[in-house]
Amino acid sequence: MARKFLYLVVILVVIALGSLLAFRLFGAQMMRAALVPSAAFEAQAAVRAQAYAEPNMWIARPDKPSNPALWAPPGYKPATAPKAALFFVHPTSYLERTRWNAPLDDATANDRAALFLRGQASAFNESAAIWAPRYRQATFGAFLTNQQAAQQALDLAYGDVLAAFDAFLAQVGPDRPIILAGHSQGALHLTRLLRERVAGKPLASRIVAAYVVGWPVSRTADLPALGLPECRTPTQRGCLLSWQSFGEPADPSLILDTFDATPGFTGAARRGTALVCTNPLTGTPNADAPASANLGTLVPSADLKTATIEPGKIPARCSGRGVLLIGTPPIQFPSFVLPGNNYHVFDYSLFWANVRADVARRLAG
């Protein structure tokens, strides 16, 4: 599933290149030809946690000038002395097929990652000091093939995330509350991090919440192995939230068909199991909320350089096995809505102000 789930996200690249019609005609074959690396996987030395003591290993950290995670839309501002620390793992921003993993100094990938932080991690900057590492992320094409090299690329990327997390823990101190968040590939790595560094460990008591967004989590085949329960109330601490956003009519079959073919973190089959579906408008599972409950959607400009907050526009309700439905949005988004009415790219933006309020509420609880 990890190798194939981002089929949906890769469509973004196709759209950006003006090739949507070709995608509809040739689909996965075209994406593989365009994006799966032809080179052999390049084994690389592990990055040690000590390397992440250097500011240039982070896209965002509290002392970094021009920190993109400190951006806020008009009417909002980051806290000057936030109580908690956030470890944020950004989604895929490397699109090349010449390598299986992004170089840490790839300027284009890092610029795209900074843009993701502005639209996603910024929702947390009123409650937390934000740390977001550079990591040798797997390229988009790694999710389009079952080659061994694809899993090797994901393992290499996760090794960097793990090293960065250990450095993050050392630098924020032993007592500070911690928030975990990620999106898409970042959320995938976050689930593995929860399994290996949080589940059954004393650290679990410091976790305010884990926002595993844009990646499916099975309630029965995954969640018991991740060390945190599903968030059941709006003020609950030490729990996990997850959602995947679709307009209506929704067709999540590409996600569910792929997801169902894989085993979960517990070793049990995922086929037919319910997904964790947190309604970000209420902070509770399996909920239905009207647009009036939406405190503000972050609506980007067509060039993604600016954004404004529009409240009361987007409803949300959990449906079926656990997808989040948002009806027919009245807001015009840039042309990055994916087939199946998948609003994956906007999983945080749709509910930006509610995510901001959610984390503040849980931190205060």
Side-chain angles (χ1 to χ4, degrees), residues 227-249:
L228 298 176
E230 180 179 3
C231 291
R232 308 297 301 182
T233 71
T235 58
Q236 182 180 352
R237 290 180 60 141
C239 56
L240 180 148
L241 304 87
S242 183
W243 64 87
Q244 297 172 87
S245 310
F246 284 82
E248 298 183 66

Side-chain angles (χ1 to χ4, degrees), residues 62-73:
D63 59 350
K64 192 173 181 69
S66 303
N67 183 343
L70 293 180
W71 176 88

Side-chain angles (χ1 to χ4, degrees), residues 1-8 216 244 246 250-263 269-273 275 321 323 340 342:
M1 190 272 292
R3 298 188 184 101
K4 296 181 179 179
F5 176 77
L6 282 189
Y7 272 5
L8 300 172
Q244 297 172 87
F246 284 82
D251 180 9
S253 59
L254 187 56
I255 292 174
L256 298 183
D257 290 349
T258 305
F259 184 73
D260 283 349
T262 60
R270 288 171 168 151
R271 181 173 298 279
T273 60
L275 308 180
R321 283 177 58 186
V323 297
N342 189 346

Side-chain angles (χ1 to χ4, degrees), residues 6 8-17 30-38 90-103 106-113 116 136-144 185 336:
L6 282 189
L8 300 172
V9 182
V10 175
I11 299 167
L12 245 178
V13 184
V14 178
I15 296 171
L17 296 175
M30 185 188 71
M31 290 190 294
R32 288 193 185 98
L35 296 166
V36 173
S38 56
H90 70 76
T92 310
S93 61
Y94 186 64
L95 315 179
E96 302 299 323
R97 66 187 300 265
T98 55
R99 298 170 181 258
W100 285 94
N101 293 87
D106 186 278
T108 301
N110 288 333
D111 286 346
R112 290 190 188 116
F116 285 132
R136 290 172 293 183
Q137 60 185 284
T139 189
F140 267 129
F143 295 90
L144 305 177
Q185 180 177 166
F336 299 133

Side-chain angles (χ1 to χ4, degrees), residues 5-6 8-9 86 88 119-121 123-124 179-188 190-191 209-219 223 226 230-231 233-234 239-247 252 255-256 259 274-287 294 296-298 314-319 321-326 341-359 361-362:
F5 176 77
L6 282 189
L8 300 172
V9 182
L86 168 70
F88 187 89
Q120 298 177 345
F124 299 92
I179 301 159
L180 302 175
H183 186 252
S184 205
Q185 180 177 166
L188 167 64
L190 188 58
T191 58
Y211 293 79
V212 183
V213 179
W215 199 271
V217 177
S218 167
R219 282 197 172 109
L223 193 63
L226 301 185
E230 180 179 3
C231 291
T233 71
C239 56
L240 180 148
L241 304 87
S242 183
W243 64 87
Q244 297 172 87
S245 310
F246 284 82
I255 292 174
L256 298 183
F259 184 73
L275 308 180
V276 174
C277 182
T278 312
N279 189 322
L281 299 184
T282 64
T284 58
N286 302 331
N294 194 319
T297 297
L298 186 68
I314 306 294
R317 64 185 178 92
C318 290
S319 178
R321 283 177 58 186
V323 297
L324 189 71
L325 300 182
I326 61 171
N341 253 340
N342 189 346
Y343 278 71
H344 177 81
V345 179
F346 303 104
D347 280 324
Y348 278 100
S349 300
L350 290 164
F351 317 107
W352 189 91
N354 287 81
V355 172
R356 195 173 185 84
D358 185 274
V359 68
R361 190 170 56 235
R362 295 185 194 280

Side-chain angles (χ1 to χ4, degrees), residues 293-317:
N294 194 319
L295 301 177
T297 297
L298 186 68
V299 183
S301 61
D303 60 6
L304 302 181
K305 292 181 179 179
T306 61
T308 57
I309 290 289
E310 295 195 25
K313 299 291 187 181
I314 306 294
R317 64 185 178 92

